[in-house]
Every structure is written in C-alpha cells, then in structure tokens.
Amino acid sequence: MSTSLSAAALETWPDHALAALLHARPDLLSPLPGTLTSLAARAATERSARLAVARLDTPTLAVLDAVVALDALEGDVTAERVSTASGLAVDVVDAALAHLAALALVVARPGAGAPAATAPATWRPSAGVPQARAPFPAGLAVGHVPTATSATSATPATPDGEPAVGPSARLLLDRLAWDGPVGTLPEAGSAAADAVGELLAAGLIVPQGAEAVLVPGAVALAARGGRTHRGVPGAPPLPSAHVIDPDSVTAEAGRAALDLARHLADLLEAWSEHPAPALRSGGVGIREMRRTRLALDVPEERANLLVELAAATGAVGRLVELEGTFWVPVATHERPQLSAGAADARGGDGVGGVGGPERAVDPAVAWAEAVLAWWASPRAFALVGTTAPDGARRAPLEPGLDRGWASDLRARVLAALAAWPAGAAPDAEAVVAHVAWSTPAAPPPVWAVASVLAEAEVLGLTGAGALAGTGRALLAVGPPSADDPEAALGALADALRNLLPPPVEEMLVQADLTAVVPGRPAPELAALLDASAETESRGGALTVRFTTASLARAIAAGHDAEDLLARLAAFSRTPLPQPLEYAVREAQRRHGGLRAGSAAAYLRAEDPTVLAVLLGEPGLGLRLIAPTVAVSPVPAGRLAQLLRALGRPVLVEGPDGDVVDVAGRPRASRPVAGLVVEHGPVRGAREVRGSPEVHDGERDLAEAVARLRHGQARASAGERDAADLLGRLREAARAGAEVMLAVAGPSGRVGHRRVIPLRVRDGVVIARDLARETDLTVAVHRVVAVEPVPPAG
C-alpha cells in the first residue's frame, strides 16, 4: 500500500526544500502546476515516480525497493528493518530515506503512540512508486500471497528446525526465491518436476498459467531469511581491464587530436571549393557525404562526426541562395561562440566572409573548440546514418537528433574511465557496469556507451582505449562558463600542447622537390606547407612534395614567387635547391598576374587628377585600380546620384559601354536572393513544441515556489484553477475516494453529484455516481469544484 503526499504536507515544507524537489524532479515543472495540490498529484503519478526512480543510485534504490516490498508484505517499515533486509548500515539507510523523502518518493509517519515531533519511526512509499517498481520490487512478487501456507511460516519446519519439504524442493525454492519469482515448469517425470510438485502441494509456489510457477512474495521473503537483497555494492564496480603503456596512450591521443584538427581544416577547404547542398530536411545527402568522405580519406562514421563537429563549433553554416541551400564554411569573425581572444588564438584575421577556410589555425585551439562542442552538444552523433522509426535514414546535420541524455552520458563515461587506474582500457560492457551503478533503474545501453568511447578515441581524449591527459583535462575543465568561455578553451588547448612534443620550425628540402619536417610542424610552417605542397606521409615526421599543381595553387591563392621562396628559405635548414626555385618561378610565370574581385560599379575619367580628388569623398567607396579607373561597392545608379550631388556630372554606361541613362534614373536591377547564414542544425517545430519551461537557476526555482504558494492560497480561499481541479480529480481517482462534484450544465446552472472518480484522461472524467449507481462522463472544463464528502453524522 502507498500513501499520497498531500498538499497540506507540502505546505509545511520550507521554500528551499520545495525548490530542491523541483530541481531534482524537473518533470514537475513541465509545465509549472498552479497549486501545491496539483504538484502533489503530479508527483504521485507513475510516470513522474518512474522518472525520479531512474536517477537513484544503487544503495538508494535498494532502500526504496525494500520499503516498497516490506510495506506490502509486512507493514510498519522502520529504518532498522530496512537495514536488516537490505544489508546496508543504518546510517546509510537513514541518509537514503532522507533523500527519498526529499524527493517525495517515501512518506514518514511517527511510530505508534509517538508524538508527531519525534523522529519518524515508520516509512511508506508514496503513491505512484509501487507502480513504478512493479511487478517485482527487490525481486519479490509483492502482489501475490501464499495459497496454503501463511507468510509467517512460509517454509514449514520440523521440530529440529529443518524444512518440512525435501532437500531438492528446498534447493529449488531457494533458487527461485533469489533468482526470480517466476520459473518454468520442468518436464514431467524429472527430479525437478517432483520438487515442483512438492512445493505446489505445500503451497509454497503457485501456478502461473500452464507452463510457469511463481513464488509469492511472503514465501520468498521467508525463504531469504527476511532479506530483500543478498548484498548491495556500496561503490561502482571496476571490472578488469587491459592496461596500456602510458607512453602509448599519450602518443595515440596526441596523434588522434592532431588528425582531428587537420581533418576539420580539410573539411572546411573541401566545402569551400564545393559547398555541400542541403537536403529539404536540412541535412547532407548520401552522395555529398560520399564525396566528402573521399576528399578527407576517412571512414563513413568519422566523416559524419567531423561534419557534425564542424557545425557544432559554428565553422560551417547554411547559405541560402537562388540556386538552393548549401552548407559552407563560416568566417571566424562570424562564428557565434568565438570571441576576439579565440579568433586571435586561431591565427586568422577574420577577413574573407563566408567560404574562406582559415588554414593558419593553431591545431590545439581548433581541437579544443571541437572537444568543447562535442562535450556540450545535445545531439546524439551516433544516430547519424541509422534508420529512423519511419524507415528514413538519418542524415548528418538534419534536425531531430537531440537527445536529453547525450551530453550527460559523455560526462558519465569519461568520469567512469577516470575511475580506473591510469592506463586501463575497459571495454564498453565494463563501462556500462560501472556507470549503471549510478542509475540501475535506467542503465545506459551498450551501443550508446560504445559510441561515446569511439568518439572519445577520435577526439584524442583517449589513447588505445585508456583515458589520456586530454580527457582528464576535459573532466577538470567541465562545461565552459558563460562568464569566461575562453578559460575552458585555453586550458584544453594547453593540455594538448603539454601532451605533444615541441613543434618543429624547420625542414629539410631536397632536390627531388620533397621536404621532410622531423616532427610536428609549427602552425606557421604547417600553414605554409598546406598552401604550397602535397602531403605524402605522416607519422614521426612529415613528408611533403612540391608539385606543379600545389605551387600553382599557392600562386593562385595570392602568394608571390619571391615571397613564397623567402618564406620557404626561412624554414629550411639548407639553401633551397635550384629545382624548387625554378618550379616556383615557372608557376608564377604561368599562373600569376590574374586577379578577380567584386564591385558594383566602376568610374573612369580621362584626367587622373579628377579621380584622385574623388577618392577621399565619403560614401563613394572608390578604390583606384588604374590611373584613370576606380571601382566602388555602390551601384552605378546610386553612384551617379552621389556624384551629381557633389556637382560632378556623370554618365552611366551599360555592360556594352553605351550610355543607357542620361536623366539620372538608376536602372532596375534583377532581384537577388538574400544571404542567410545559420549556424548548426536547425531544430524543427516538432522539437520545439511542448518544450518545458526553463527553471535552471535559483531565482527561477524561488519564483516557481512563490507561484505555487500563491496558487495554493487562492485555492484555499475558494478560487480554483483548472490544474488544481484536475489534480484533485486524479488524486481522488487514485485513492478511490468519494468527492462532491460541482458540474455546470448547458444553461450555466451548477449541479452537485456525489461520485467516486474512476479515470481522468483526454479532457474528461469518468466517475461512479453513488446516488444513481451509474457511470458519469463529464468534460473537465465543466467541473466547477471538487470537494471532499463531509463525514456522516
């Protein structure tokens, strides 16, 4: 049996206790009830109780299950009895009961004859908890009673104290009592069948259909010697794990971190040259992901993760044009989560707008950004590429992949890895066993934990499966603070730098147009080689080759031949070989000299001095590209108007050079689509609809408590709101209590019915009319009041 937590009891709770209840059980805030009565009714529902139970750790859940089972089988559950039944120390049980009471999962009652002011002597589960722990709390069938043998003597004994049943039957009873209350009937004629028949005849088990038997809860509890649990682990288990050499862990983690930063840079470059078309749903299609995967030379799962991380950091966004919607790189100064300090750490100047990948980025900073985005993202990245319930394939960057458990599970998995000794590399099953101790009622699935471990390996937080220094640094940093977001970024970047060997600022250039960097290249050297050479191999050393295509790419990117040779010579241990000098100058001769840009209008004059005077005029935006030609971002028609206002008559020319406007009227231009950059996957209406109110701060919780008390005061004064009435109806339905129902008829006249509410759902209440002995169905909005029936006499 259970006891409902009444509104009267909640009124006695201090404000901080109510706020703690709302914080620990956030479903009670979705939406905020109107009164304490409604709050109590919602807390007593099976769904809310199940959500609260899912957050309990193993000892606390064992205490709760003991209370539920002992209350149903014995009654008068004391802390001492729970301690004996569960095997936990009394102080542990007292702390657990206090925590459960603060969560409104158990209710304390003074002992028989004890004054109310003394410490509670007995405990009962709150309404909704037995249903949430059904059908077998602590493995006991509490809803079943013995058929022939009383619960107090569930195992009949001889005068010598031995069980009255035979040894085989007793052994079978012990196994069923501990391993589960339900067993399958054995084949007829076997020794096990004889034991089952003996137990059936003694009334110690009862049939369950034609093929199973069940041990009633009272019988099982007596067979266990009054114990509800064999033993409750007081700490998370640490299964055995393979041990990795610390140097190998560090090397593997550092390599993975640098690979991540490089792959993200390569992704930006690939999507800068070929923007990724967005699907109608907002994601990236299979064909585009195949092209991206080939460009990065990575497996499908890693390509999906890289694309998701790029969007999570704001490095890519959606570009809306007339031709369609595309995913493109976003300039550093346009990324929402980067401050000026982060942009400076990147090494880029933030110039170039959408579409320009910035190669001169400190890999440690780029890695730290990706890790923090992964750490805080609500998206379950492992779902990308899987099949949705409707049969559709989930695409990268499509909305709808947010999961409330995603970021929390990452923190729990990394914390679990930190619990093992340094160098230990537990597998997914071992991590699940450790993590499940904290939430045994809702353990994480193995596939989810395995996906987090795989992602941590890709991010360089682990090396060869063991937690690396970078992972421990992330645990120490925690979620980035809104007040100082750069602190977490800088701490993580420093952790990676400390993990890696010092960067190398020199290379050996050879006559065959190859260059070898004996170690990890410094950011400036890496950016120079990325721009002018092709990578041939990576590892302990970096080997690159200067090719005709790579040098042409460098010249096309704006590098002058002399400047490029000077920069290469600055990093070379020896003078640059002549073949490389010839190749660079040949690339300059073949591909240099051409420049392209954008301008809305040009202005030309026969006298260079005329343009020289106009260059300083504000609003014109003129830039000289030849002695007699200047360009401007201002459209030609508007430029002509501004010049005429300055007393400078001007003619407007068309694309063919003919004068097309002699009256000063600007030509109509073709409408152009607006440019819209959206950072990250866009949530759909389905995800936003029905989202709970946010009360994650102390001020919000204090305001919520104040609103609840105000609503309860109004209800006590006779003012009822819909939520309060609904809560009263549901509470009466659970308790089977009689109430007086005031119902407004079609004419507005209020009638009163003495009823027992049976069900409240879908906007109607179904109740038993006690006077007419019929069932009554009433729309909830017609209910004016719900009052308890006064006692007779």
Side-chain angles (χ1 to χ4, degrees):
M1 190 174 179
S2 56
T3 301
S4 295
L5 182 67
S6 64
L10 285 178
E11 287 187 54
T12 64
W13 285 31
D15 287 356
H16 67 84
L18 285 174
L21 173 65
L22 296 177
H23 177 74
R25 298 179 64 174
D27 62 287
L28 300 180
L29 285 165
S30 179
L32 182 69
T35 64
L36 291 174
T37 301
S38 299
L39 178 66
R42 184 180 299 173
T45 61
E46 177 184 344
R47 175 183 177 275
S48 180
R50 194 179 299 277
L51 291 173
V53 168
R55 301 182 180 94
L56 301 179
D57 60 23
T58 294
T60 308
L61 182 62
V63 170
L64 179 63
D65 279 350
V67 171
V68 173
L70 295 175
D71 178 71
L73 299 174
E74 297 179 354
D76 295 333
V77 183
T78 64
E80 291 76 10
R81 178 69 182 97
V82 173
S83 174
T84 302
S86 64
L88 295 169
V90 176
D91 57 339
V92 175
V93 172
D94 286 337
L97 288 172
H99 179 57
L100 292 170
L103 294 175
L105 294 177
V106 297
V107 178
R109 287 186 171 186
T118 61
T122 62
W123 296 86
R124 305 195 75 176
S126 299
V129 173
Q131 294 79 10
R133 298 305 296 154
F136 307 128
L140 296 169
V142 298
H144 299 78
V145 296
T147 57
T149 307
S150 68
T152 56
S153 58
T155 52
T158 66
D160 297 332
E162 293 298 321
V165 296
S168 298
R170 178 53 197 252
L171 185 63
L172 177 61
L173 179 62
D174 287 342
R175 189 168 73 246
L176 286 174
W178 281 112
D179 296 344
V182 179
T184 304
L185 284 173
E187 295 183 3
S190 63
D194 295 338
V196 168
E198 192 175 351
L199 293 174
L200 285 170
L204 298 179
I205 59 176
V206 295
Q208 285 288 102
E211 298 181 353
V213 293
L214 178 139
V215 183
V219 174
L221 186 63
R224 294 178 179 185
R227 295 287 298 271
T228 56
H229 297 78
R230 261 181 176 157
V232 180
L238 285 177
S240 60
H242 183 60
V243 179
I244 309 297
D245 178 66
D247 292 339
S248 299
V249 174
T250 298
E252 289 294 323
R255 178 194 56 78
L258 292 179
D259 285 347
L260 177 74
R262 176 172 56 85
H263 286 146
L264 287 173
D266 292 343
L267 172 66
L268 297 184
E269 182 176 2
W271 281 14
S272 175
E273 297 176 356
H274 301 284
L279 299 174
R280 184 175 301 177
S281 64
V284 183
I286 297 177
R287 180 183 301 176
E288 185 59 33
M289 285 305 303
R290 183 182 297 113
R291 185 181 65 81
T292 301
R293 184 171 71 251
L294 293 175
L296 302 182
D297 192 22
V298 295
E300 179 181 359
E301 293 78 8
R302 183 166 301 189
N304 293 338
L305 179 60
L306 290 170
V307 168
E308 288 280 346
L309 291 176
T313 60
V316 298
R318 293 206 306 176
L319 175 67
V320 181
E321 292 185 322
L322 284 176
E323 295 79 6
T325 304
F326 300 88
W327 287 97
V328 297
V330 178
T332 299
H333 68 287
E334 295 182 0
R335 299 182 190 177
Q337 62 269 62
L338 284 180
S339 67
D344 292 341
R346 280 179 156 271
D349 56 8
V351 177
V354 175
E358 296 135 15
R359 305 293 295 188
V361 175
D362 184 351
V365 175
W367 169 83
E369 289 178 355
V371 167
L372 289 177
W374 173 82
W375 184 249
S377 176
R379 289 175 65 80
F381 301 126
L383 294 179
V384 176
T386 61
T387 303
D390 60 0
R393 184 180 184 274
R394 295 185 175 101
L397 303 185
E398 75 172 23
L401 297 187
D402 287 12
R403 297 294 184 271
W405 47 262
S407 60
D408 178 67
L409 182 61
R410 296 180 193 120
R412 294 175 64 190
V413 169
L414 286 190
L417 292 178
W420 267 271
D427 57 17
E429 288 78 8
V431 175
V432 168
H434 181 91
V435 173
W437 182 91
S438 301
T439 56
V446 176
W447 71 264
V449 172
S451 67
V452 173
L453 292 175
E455 291 166 7
E457 191 81 13
V458 172
L459 268 70
L461 300 173
T462 61
L467 190 66
T470 48
R472 298 183 189 278
L474 180 60
L475 286 172
V477 166
S481 170
D483 297 332
D484 189 9
E486 300 306 323
L489 186 67
L492 274 183
D494 289 341
L496 178 59
R497 295 187 186 102
N498 295 334
L499 197 71
L500 299 173
V504 176
E505 296 184 348
E506 59 182 9
M507 61 180 174
L508 178 62
V509 183
Q510 304 178 90
D512 61 351
L513 298 184
T514 61
V516 178
V517 181
R520 176 172 64 94
E524 297 80 5
L525 177 56
L528 178 62
L529 295 179
D530 281 340
S532 59
E534 305 289 353
T535 300
E536 288 200 337
S537 66
R538 295 182 184 272
L542 171 67
T543 302
V544 299
R545 180 176 295 276
F546 299 96
T547 66
T548 301
S550 68
L551 293 175
R553 184 178 68 239
I555 297 299
H559 293 282
D560 180 78
E562 297 303 325
D563 174 68
L564 180 59
L565 289 172
R567 295 181 62 187
L568 291 172
F571 288 106
S572 179
R573 287 183 180 177
T574 59
L576 295 180
Q578 281 191 339
L580 178 59
E581 295 183 359
Y582 292 154
V584 171
R585 292 194 170 92
E586 179 64 14
Q588 172 73 28
R589 187 184 68 80
R590 288 178 174 271
H591 305 285
L594 296 179
R595 295 290 186 270
S598 61
Y602 65 86
L603 185 66
R604 61 188 180 89
E606 295 182 359
D607 188 355
T609 58
V610 175
L611 291 182
V613 173
L614 295 176
L615 288 178
E617 290 292 340
L620 300 181
L622 293 175
R623 180 167 60 90
L624 202 64
I625 60 173
T628 59
V629 181
V631 294
S632 171
V634 180
R638 178 59 179 164
L639 182 62
Q641 290 179 344
L642 294 175
L643 289 171
R644 291 188 181 106
L646 294 174
R648 298 281 186 174
V650 62
L651 298 177
V652 178
E653 297 178 346
D656 56 1
D658 295 335
V659 177
V660 296
D661 181 24
V662 294
R665 294 185 301 272
R667 295 171 53 190
S669 60
R670 177 177 63 89
V672 179
L675 183 68
V676 180
V677 175
E678 300 165 339
H679 302 280
V682 182
R683 293 178 174 85
R686 181 185 306 174
E687 295 172 279
V688 177
R689 188 184 303 120
S691 58
E693 298 179 22
V694 178
H695 296 280
D696 53 358
E698 293 183 4
R699 180 185 303 175
D700 295 323
L701 291 174
E703 292 177 356
V705 171
R707 289 170 58 186
L708 286 170
R709 293 201 184 279
H710 178 68
Q712 189 66 24
R714 291 177 55 193
S716 300
E719 301 180 33
R720 308 292 188 197
D721 63 7
D724 177 54
L725 295 175
L726 198 60
R728 287 171 174 260
L729 287 171
R730 287 174 173 164
E731 187 173 2
R734 277 190 299 271
E738 298 180 14
V739 296
M740 190 64 69
L741 205 64
V743 181
S747 63
R749 183 178 179 181
V750 178
H752 294 80
R753 301 283 189 92
R754 184 177 178 180
V755 302
I756 297 179
L758 302 177
R759 293 187 301 276
V760 183
R761 63 176 59 177
D762 299 329
V764 298
V765 55
I766 301 174
R768 183 70 176 175
D769 191 321
L770 298 178
R772 303 181 184 182
E773 295 186 353
T774 59
D775 287 347
L776 175 69
T777 302
V778 181
V780 173
H781 69 270
R782 292 177 55 193
V783 178
V784 177
V786 181
E787 300 294 342
V789 176

